[in-house]
Amino acid sequence: MRNSRIIGAGMFVPPKVVTNDDLSKLMDTSDEWIVERSGIKERRYAEDGVGVSDLAVEASKKALAQAGLEPKDIDLIIFATLSPDYYFPGSGVLLQHKLGCRDIAAIDIRQQCSGFIYGLSIADQYIKTGQSERVLVVGAEIHSCGLDFSTRGRDVTVLFGDGAGVVILAPGEAGKGILSTHLHSDGGHFDKLWTPAPMACRHPRLSHEILDQGLHYPIMDGKFIFKMAIGKFAEIVEDALRANGYTLEDLDLFIPHQANLRISNMVGKKLGLPDEKVFNNIQKYGNTTAGSIPIAISEALEQGKIKEGSLVCLASFGSGLTWASALIRW
Ligand code: UT7
C-alpha cells in the first residue's frame, strides 16, 4: 500500500493583533495572569464578516505555492473547524468555490482541537487506497466572534484566537510521510468543554433566555481538561512511537496542539524531551483549535525545525473529548 506525505504547508492569521492589555480593558483580567497561566501574550482576531473559509483560502494559496500546484490539481478537500462560516453548508464547499477548485469532494469535520489530525488521518486513508492523489487538509477557526468578552467568560476568552493552517498530501515513497495516526474519543465528558446553545433539537434554537444566560458561549472545566490533557498527550506520543518501533530519543520534533504553554512544557518534561524538541507558538496566536497544528507545521518548516528526514510527532487533546497523534517521517 502506498504512503502519503506532506508536499506543501501554509498558514494565515488575520493582521489584527489583540494583546492581553487590550483584553484587560474589556474584562477583569491582566497580562500577568494570562502569561503566567497560559503563556499567551497576544492573539489575532479577524475583521467582522471574515469567515474561516476566507482564512483558509489565504493559507491554501501558500500551501499550493509551496507544493508547486494549482487549485485544479486538488482532488479532495477536508476542512476541520468548530466555527464554520454558516450553520450549513459547511466551509469545505465555500473553500472549493473561493479557491477555484474543480467540483471535487469537500468533507467538513469537527473534532475541535483534534480536528486537524483527524483530517490528516482521513486524507491519509484516501491516498493509501488510491482514491485521491492531492488532498488539501485545512484546520481553521474564527473564535473571536463567539467569545464572551465580559468577566463571566474570561477563563475561556483570553485563551483563544483566529487562524488557519493547510497542508497538501500526495502519494510518497515507502518509509516516508505519514507513518501512522492514532485517533480517540470519549463523549462521556462532552460537557467539559462545549457550547450549550443553540441546540438543533430545541425550538426555538435561539431565545432571549439563551442570550441572557450566555449559553451560546463556550464553557470549559479548565482544571479537568488541563489534568487530563497532560496524561493523554504523553500517552498518544508514546503510542505513535511504539507502533512504529521508535523511542523518544528518535524523535526530532514534537508539535503539540497549542492549548496552553504550561501543558506543552509539562508534557515535554513528562516525556523527557529537551525544550528545543517541543514546538511552541501559542505566545503569538493563543489557541486556534483545529488551526494550531497546521500553523505550527508551517512555522516549524519555515524556521528549519523540520528538515528532510526529520521524525515529527503531532499530538492533540481537547473538546469532545478527542485526542489524537500522528507520526511523520519528513
Ligand atoms: O484546546 C482545548 C483544551 N483546553 C485546554 O487545554 C485548557 C486547559 N485549562 C487551562 O489551560 C487552565 O485551566 C486555565 C488557563 C483555563 C486556567 O488556569 P488555572 O490555573 O486552572 O486557573 P483556575 O481556573 O484555577 O482559576 C484561578 C483563578 C480563579 O479565581 P479564584 O477562584 O481563585 O478567586 C479564576 O476565577 O483565576 C481566576 N481567573 C482569572 N483571573 C484573571 C480565571 N480566568 C481568569 C482571567 N484573568 N482570564
Side-chain angles (χ1 to χ4, degrees), residues 27-30 33-34 36-38 112-113 151 153-160 193 220-227 229 233 257-263 287-289 317-319:
M27 62 188 84
D28 182 12
T29 190
S30 64
W33 191 96
I34 300 169
E36 190 189 306
R37 303 288 173 132
S38 72
Q112 302 69 243
C113 306
T151 296
R154 64 182 178 173
D155 58 326
V156 172
T157 298
V158 300
L159 300 179
F160 290 92
L193 176 47
M220 174 170 69
D221 181 342
K223 281 210 184 309
F224 178 91
I225 296 282
F226 192 101
K227 271 193 212 138
F233 266 118
H257 160 57
Q258 304 290 295
N260 185 318
L261 189 60
R262 281 194 296 149
I263 294 179
N287 180 346
T288 56
T289 308
F317 178 86
S319 161

